[in-house]
């Protein structure tokens, strides 16, 4: 081949390996780079043999294995040091916020019928929630020694205010119960709500000091002076006719005795005595007998004595699965008495349906579980008794209120904790929730977990601050100088 005659290009048919595509130079590194960048799944997913692969059916063993893994993950999540802390804080805040929404929705018609602004009750409840939040933060920051010292002045002030309720001109009656003190205008105070908090703190400190001295093994030290002091509070409350609050105080007493390890025969004896007194008080009051007769009622009855109980069931039935929507309740238009206080759970069921009521129940269950966990894991006897007393208080009051709305229990006239309208009930309850949060944070494992998270949180905040403080630089066009 001469230089004047260049070689003719080799044809594709005459090329060796005709019919086979050869990779271009440099293709292999690009393929490997694509695989490293995330293309390995796509390469491995290519079907072999020409047809797509069918998904495998899950076998029984694989399903059981996945269930075991899920159970193990849930158990590890429950056993984390900060689980109780987050459950108490998150559950209480969610209940309070949802309660504010439902108070606004359920009280509009009631306010308009009274010649007030539609947001009148909501604004009062919002102010009480803000004040209660401050009390909750105060309870979280207070040391345990200060809580124990605070119990005795609180008990003395509560007893003094309960005595003032019976003074003519100071105590007033609301719905047949004389348990309120008027401070002029719309400001009312119910001292018996603060008596619940006083009994929890004072009883916890009393039992803790006796346990330190090993006196709880004797039944005299176990009952005295806890039972006489509780009987005094119950007597002052029953003078006003408020049996619902008396039931909650009795439940707190039984909770403290149970945590103190009261013998079964002694516990049953106190329970039988309280039951006999309760039956006597019910039979001597026509109003209480009528409430007892309305359990499971489906008709208003003679003289509409079961009107409230029956219309509470109607409201729940109208809600269905997902409710009629916020503000669309029909029972709050004068049919259901006290729609924003004692029977706010019924309005919740009508407007939010079964999904809304189950959400409220789950939140209260989580709060109760967290309180039991705090009481069971602590080494401090005061923390155990106080956490158990607060948990018994909130749980028992929620059960009594919801049971009355469902027609399973007599109407006791107690509000749903953190949910119903009423500043006198909201303030001490939020302070009690602050106690649970403080006790949950005081656990050694929780304290160590919070200490480890503080440096990481500071680094994250510093990183976000640096990003936000950077000034954006505008890019100039390529031809601009």
């Amino acid at each position: 081949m001469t230089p004047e005659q260049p070689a003719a290009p080799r044809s594709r048919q005459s090329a060796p390996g005709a019919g086979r595509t050869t990779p271009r130079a440099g293709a292999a590194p690009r393929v490997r780079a694509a695989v490293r960048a995330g293309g390995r799944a796509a390469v491995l997913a290519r079907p072999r043999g020409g047809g797509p692969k069918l998904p495998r059916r899950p076998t029984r063993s694989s399903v059981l294995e996945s269930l075991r893994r899920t159970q193990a993950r849930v158990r590890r999540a429950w056993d984390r040091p900060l689980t109780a802390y987050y459950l108490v804080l998150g559950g209480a805040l969610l209940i309070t916020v949802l309660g504010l929404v439902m108070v606004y929705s359920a009280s509009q018609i009631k306010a308009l019928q009274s010649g007030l602004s539609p947001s009148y009750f909501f604004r009062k409840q919002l102010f009480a929630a803000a004040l209660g939040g401050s009390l909750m933060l105060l309870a979280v920051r207070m040391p345990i020694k200060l809580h124990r010292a605070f119990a005795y002045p609180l008990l003395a002030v509560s007893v003094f205010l309960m005595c003032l309720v019976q003074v003519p001109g100071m105590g007033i009656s609301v719905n047949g119960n004389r348990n309120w003190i008027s401070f002029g205008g719309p400001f009312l105070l119910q001292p018996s709500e603060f008596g619940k908090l006083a009994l929890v703190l004072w009883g916890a400190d009393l039992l803790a000091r006796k346990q330190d001295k090993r006196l709880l093994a004797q039944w005299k030290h176990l009952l005295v002076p806890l039972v006489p002091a509780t009987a005094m509070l119950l007597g002052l409350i029953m003078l006003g006719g408020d049996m619902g609050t008396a039931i909650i105080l009795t439940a707190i007493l039984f909770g403290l005795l149970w945590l103190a390890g009261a013998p079964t025969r002694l516990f049953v004896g106190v329970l039988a005595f309280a039951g006999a007194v309760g039956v006597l008080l019910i039979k001597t009051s026509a109003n209480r007998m009528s409430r007892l007769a309305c359990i499971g009622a489906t008709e208003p009855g003679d003289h509409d004595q079961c009107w409230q109980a029956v219309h509470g069931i109607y409201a729940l039935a109208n809600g269905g699965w997902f409710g009629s929507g916020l503000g669309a309740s029909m029972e709050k238009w004068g049919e259901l008495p006290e729609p924003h206080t004692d029977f706010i759970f019924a309005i919740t069921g009508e407007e939010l349906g079964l999904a809304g009521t189950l959400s409220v129940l789950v939140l209260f269950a989580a709060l109760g579980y967290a309180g039991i966990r705090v009481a069971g894991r602590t080494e401090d006897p005061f923390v155990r008794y106080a956490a158990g007393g607060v948990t018994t208080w909130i749980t028992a009051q929620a059960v009594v209120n919801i049971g009355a709305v469902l027609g399973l229990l007599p109407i006791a006239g107690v509000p749903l904790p953190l949910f119903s309208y009423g500043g006198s009930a909201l303030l001490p309850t939020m302070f009690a929730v602050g106690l649970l949060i403080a006790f949950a944070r005081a656990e050694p494992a929780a304290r160590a977990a919070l200490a480890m998270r503080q440096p990481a949180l500071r680094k994250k905040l510093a990183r976000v601050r640096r990003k936000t403080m950077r000034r954006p630089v505008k890019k100039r066009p390529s031809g601009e100088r």
Side-chain angles (χ1 to χ4, degrees):
M1 183 172 56
T2 61
E4 290 81 6
Q5 295 178 355
R10 182 178 296 179
S11 62
R12 187 177 299 271
Q13 288 78 10
S14 62
R20 183 179 61 187
T21 59
T22 57
R24 293 179 297 176
R30 286 197 295 269
V31 172
R32 286 195 296 268
V35 169
R36 294 193 191 97
R40 184 181 297 274
V43 173
L44 296 178
R46 291 179 181 175
R48 296 180 180 179
K53 288 186 177 181
L54 297 176
R56 295 182 179 180
R57 293 183 179 180
T59 61
R60 184 177 180 180
S61 60
S62 62
V63 172
L64 292 177
E65 185 64 24
S66 63
L67 290 177
R68 292 193 192 97
R69 291 177 181 176
T70 304
Q71 184 179 3
R73 291 175 183 175
V74 172
R75 186 176 300 173
R76 285 196 300 268
W78 285 117
D79 291 338
R80 290 177 180 175
L82 295 176
T83 298
Y85 169 72
Y86 287 130
L87 282 178
V88 175
L89 180 60
L93 290 181
L94 287 175
I95 293 173
T96 305
V97 172
L98 184 57
L100 288 172
V101 174
M102 293 312 304
V103 165
Y104 180 68
S105 177
S107 64
Q108 291 180 359
I109 307 304
K110 184 76 173 180
L112 290 174
Q113 290 175 348
S114 303
L116 302 171
S117 171
S119 60
Y120 173 77
F121 295 104
F122 169 74
R123 285 186 278 108
K124 290 186 63 177
Q125 186 73 358
L126 183 61
F127 175 76
L131 185 58
S134 303
L135 292 178
M136 184 174 67
L137 291 177
L138 178 63
V140 172
R141 296 298 181 182
M142 286 174 59
I144 295 179
K145 292 183 179 180
L146 191 56
H147 283 299
R148 300 184 68 168
F150 178 65
Y152 294 86
L154 180 61
L155 180 64
V157 171
S158 299
V159 172
F160 176 72
L161 293 177
M162 288 182 189
C163 294
L164 289 182
V165 171
Q166 307 303 323
V167 176
M170 298 194 67
I172 61 174
S173 298
V174 178
N175 296 329
N177 295 334
R178 187 183 179 88
N179 52 5
W180 296 83
I181 297 178
S182 176
F183 291 96
F187 297 100
L188 301 177
L189 180 66
Q190 189 175 2
S192 57
E193 294 292 338
F194 294 88
K196 301 174 187 177
L197 179 62
L199 178 61
V200 168
L201 291 177
W202 176 77
D205 179 71
L206 176 68
L207 293 176
R209 287 189 291 107
K210 290 194 173 187
Q211 181 174 340
D212 293 338
K213 297 179 180 180
R214 299 180 181 180
L215 298 175
L216 292 182
Q218 306 176 20
W219 67 270
K220 294 181 180 180
H221 289 282
L222 184 62
L223 299 181
V224 180
L226 179 61
V227 175
T230 306
M232 178 188 62
L233 293 176
L234 292 174
L236 292 174
I237 292 173
M238 290 306 299
L239 285 177
D242 188 4
M243 191 170 183
T245 305
I247 292 174
I248 306 304
L249 279 178
T250 306
I252 294 174
L253 173 63
F254 288 154
L256 292 175
L257 290 177
W258 181 270
L259 291 170
T264 305
R265 60 182 183 275
L266 181 63
F267 193 84
V268 172
V270 175
L271 183 61
F273 177 76
V277 173
V279 170
L280 180 62
L281 292 175
I282 291 175
K283 285 189 174 182
T284 55
S285 174
N287 184 24
R288 299 189 187 109
M289 285 296 297
S290 63
R291 292 187 179 188
L292 189 64
C294 292
I295 297 179
T298 57
E299 297 293 336
D302 299 335
H303 307 289
D304 293 334
Q305 63 178 2
C306 299
W307 180 273
Q308 188 174 14
V310 170
H311 279 272
I313 299 296
Y314 289 168
L316 293 173
N318 292 337
W321 290 98
F322 299 102
S324 58
L326 283 174
S329 171
M330 299 297 296
E331 291 294 332
K332 67 183 180 182
W333 288 78
E335 298 293 336
L336 181 64
E338 307 299 330
H340 59 300
T341 55
D342 299 345
F343 272 70
I344 193 172
F345 188 76
I347 302 300
T348 304
E350 186 177 6
E351 296 187 350
L352 301 183
L354 183 63
T357 55
L358 288 180
S359 301
V360 176
L361 291 177
V362 168
L363 290 174
F364 275 109
L367 191 59
Y369 167 79
I372 294 174
R373 172 171 169 160
V374 171
R377 292 196 172 191
T378 183
E379 298 293 337
D380 191 341
F382 172 78
V383 173
R384 180 169 65 254
Y385 295 134
V390 170
T391 306
T392 304
W393 164 17
I394 296 177
T395 306
Q397 189 163 328
V399 169
V400 170
N401 180 275
I402 296 174
V405 174
L406 296 177
L408 303 176
L409 295 174
I411 300 175
V414 295
L416 190 59
L418 302 172
F419 202 85
S420 297
Y421 169 80
S424 296
L426 185 62
L427 294 180
T429 307
M430 294 195 74
F431 187 89
V433 170
L435 285 176
L436 287 180
I437 296 175
F439 297 156
R441 287 168 54 97
E443 293 182 6
R447 194 185 303 114
L450 289 173
M452 291 176 61
R453 290 191 175 188
Q454 286 181 358
L457 182 60
R458 290 173 183 171
K459 291 181 180 179
K460 187 179 294 185
L461 291 176
R463 193 180 304 115
V464 172
R465 194 175 302 163
R466 285 196 300 268
K467 289 182 179 180
T468 55
M469 291 179 65
R470 290 177 182 175
R471 297 180 59 184
V473 180
K474 296 182 179 180
K475 293 184 178 181
R476 296 180 178 179
S478 59
E480 184 179 356
R481 292 185 178 179

